[in-house]
Amino acid sequence: MKGNNVAHSKLRTKRDFSLNLKNKKFWSEEEQRYITLKVSCKGIREIEKNGLEATLKKAKNAGLVNLV
């Protein structure tokens, strides 16, 4: 994501917003193996709250993830 730094004098310089993404391994009970995902911290909290399978199913139905 791109944006501007705005100084007190209203001088604008380009900047990048870095996304809060982490590589995290999750245990899948359904597949009996670890799955490595690149997810945001909010995504990690949602997976811990609702479970991996339910969160992946919800993301797939919303068209956010392309599972092979």
Side-chain angles (χ1 to χ4, degrees):
M1 184 185 276
K2 302 271 186 200
N4 290 315
N5 279 336
V6 181
H8 183 70
S9 64
K10 305 291 191 230
L11 178 70
R12 288 169 165 75
T13 55
K14 290 290 184 188
R15 65 166 284 194
D16 289 329
F17 289 101
S18 43
L19 301 174
N20 195 9
L21 296 177
K22 308 290 182 195
N23 289 323
K24 178 99 169 107
K25 286 201 296 192
F26 296 98
W27 176 253
S28 173
E29 282 293 328
E30 195 173 273
E31 298 180 20
Q32 292 296 310
R33 68 181 182 101
Y34 281 102
I35 297 174
T36 303
L37 299 174
K38 186 182 252 186
V39 293
S40 65
C41 288
K42 183 177 180 181
I44 293 171
R45 287 193 307 269
E46 187 170 332
I47 289 171
E48 289 176 356
K49 180 180 177 184
N50 301 327
L52 178 65
E53 310 304 332
T55 306
L56 286 176
K57 185 178 175 183
K58 181 179 173 183
K60 187 175 181 181
N61 288 341
L64 299 175
V65 83
N66 188 8
L67 299 173
V68 177

